Amino acid sequence: MSTRNLINQLGGYRAVAARLGKSPTTVHTHMQVGILPAAWYDALCVMAVEAEVCEPNRGLFSFLAVAGENDAKDAAA
């Protein structure tokens, strides 16, 4: 599922923006880029359940990745 598919299944970017308290432009821009803010994950999961669609994959969101052990050692040096 893409960000566009998710937003469309939830009623479109204007409807999602209204539910999130964001401007339609903000939601549309994130949808176009293809990565949604991690802060929206829980809200969009709730909206997906309400709309009876699959909950979004976490890969659609900008969650921080955990550095590997070697990366952490290199950063500390």
Side-chain angles (χ1 to χ4, degrees):
M1 174 184 299
S2 70
T3 56
R4 180 178 299 281
N5 291 342
L6 172 64
I7 298 299
N8 286 337
Q9 288 180 349
L10 299 179
Y13 71 93
R14 292 181 191 279
V16 170
R19 292 288 305 274
L20 295 177
K22 303 292 180 186
S23 75
T25 302
T26 297
V27 175
H28 189 267
T29 299
H30 286 291
M31 179 183 75
Q32 290 289 94
V33 170
I35 298 290
L36 302 170
W40 298 2
Y41 180 75
D42 286 340
L44 294 180
C45 284
V46 168
M47 292 174 65
V49 169
E50 292 172 357
E52 298 180 352
V53 299
C54 293
E55 289 188 16
N57 182 307
R58 292 175 58 90
L60 298 178
F61 296 84
S62 61
F63 288 105
L64 295 176
V66 176
E69 187 175 326
N70 290 335
D71 295 334
K73 288 178 185 176
D74 292 341

